[in-house]
Each structure stands twice: as structure tokens, then as C-alpha cells.
């Protein structure tokens, strides 16, 4: 029988400024740092899958990339998508996709650290 995978076990965004990206996640998304992170990144205490921002890997240059992660869809569950939407708007965060119904509850997309598109849903 062939070996298979179970699904994502860790998700990290490569960023130019790890501390600024981590601050965005803490201040605007309410994420909390995990007790331990590697020296090149910040891991957050997210469940069930750990999420992190990390320094660029060798050979990665995002300088000419208008939208890092293009082609990747990264969704985050929240207890109240409408309230999070309003908080982000009040903080001046760019909303990319307006609030809409989805099979996973209300959802919208916004510009995250360094231009990554992030989607929040739930509640």
C-alpha cells in the first residue's frame, strides 16, 4: 500500500521583514506567539495547524513580486468574520474581497503582511 499524507501540518509565509509581519498578525489578527520559534521566524500558537512568518529562503526574492503567494488560497477560521472585517477596515487594512456567504459561513479576503491575500471565514 502506498504511503499517503494526512494534510497540511505547518504553514509559513516567507516575508522580508519577519518582525513587522509578526506584529501585523498579533495586532490585527489576534494571533499569539508560540513558546518556541526558530531564529529565522515567528511561530504562532494556532490550532490545529501551526502558522508562521519566516525569513526568505535562499534564492527567494520578493522585491519584484507585487502579490506574494499568488495562486495560493490561505483561509483562517474566526469566531466572527463580520466583526473581524469591521476591525480590519477601522485599522485601514485593505479589503480585497467583500463579505460574502460561503459554504463555510461568512467570508472575506484582505491584504495581509507584505501583500499576501488572506481569507477569513466563520461566525
Amino acid at each position: 500500500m502506498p504511503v499517503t499524507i494526512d494534510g497540511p501540518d505547518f504553514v509559513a509565509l516567507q516575508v522580508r521583514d519577519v518582525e513587522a509581519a509578526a506584529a501585523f498578525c498579533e495586532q490585527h489578527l489576534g494571533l499569539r506567539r508560540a513558546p518556541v520559534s526558530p531564529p529565522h521566524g515567528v511561530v504562532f500558537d494556532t490550532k490545529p495547524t501551526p502558522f508562521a512568518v519566516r525569513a526568505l529562503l535562499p534564492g527567494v526574492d520578493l522585491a519584484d513580486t507585487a502579490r506574494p503567494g499568488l495562486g495560493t488560497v490561505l483561509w483562517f477560521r474566526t469566531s466572527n468574520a463580520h466583526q473581524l472585517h469591521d476591525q480590519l477596515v477601522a485599522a485601514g487594512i485593505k479589503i480585497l474581497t467583500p463579505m460574502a456567504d460561503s459554504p463555510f459561513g461568512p467570508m472575506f479576503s484582505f491584504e495581509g503582511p507584505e501583500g499576501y491575500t488572506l481569507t477569513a471565514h466563520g461566525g
Side-chain angles (χ1 to χ4, degrees):
M1 182 160 159
V3 174
T4 61
I5 62 171
D6 294 326
D9 189 45
F10 189 87
V11 175
L13 298 179
Q14 294 182 69
V15 296
R16 292 174 288 251
D17 187 334
V18 172
E19 281 305 317
F24 177 95
C25 293
E26 290 171 313
Q27 294 168 6
H28 299 295
L29 307 180
L31 297 182
R32 291 183 318 273
R33 293 179 189 226
V36 177
S37 290
H40 59 272
V42 173
V43 178
F44 297 98
D45 186 20
T46 55
K47 307 266 188 289
T49 304
F51 172 73
V53 291
R54 61 152 297 136
L56 301 175
L57 291 168
V60 174
D61 181 8
L62 296 179
D64 294 328
T65 304
R67 290 185 48 211
L70 187 62
T72 300
V73 180
L74 188 56
W75 286 50
F76 289 86
R77 183 178 49 251
T78 179
S79 61
N80 190 322
H82 289 283
Q83 185 176 346
L84 178 61
H85 175 276
D86 294 347
Q87 287 173 200
L88 294 176
V89 168
I93 305 302
K94 185 176 182 181
I95 303 300
L96 302 172
T97 304
M99 186 66 68
D101 290 329
S102 81
F104 310 105
M107 58 78 65
F108 70 98
S109 296
F110 59 97
E111 188 173 277
E114 300 194 13
Y116 281 95
T117 298
L118 306 178
T119 300
H121 72 94

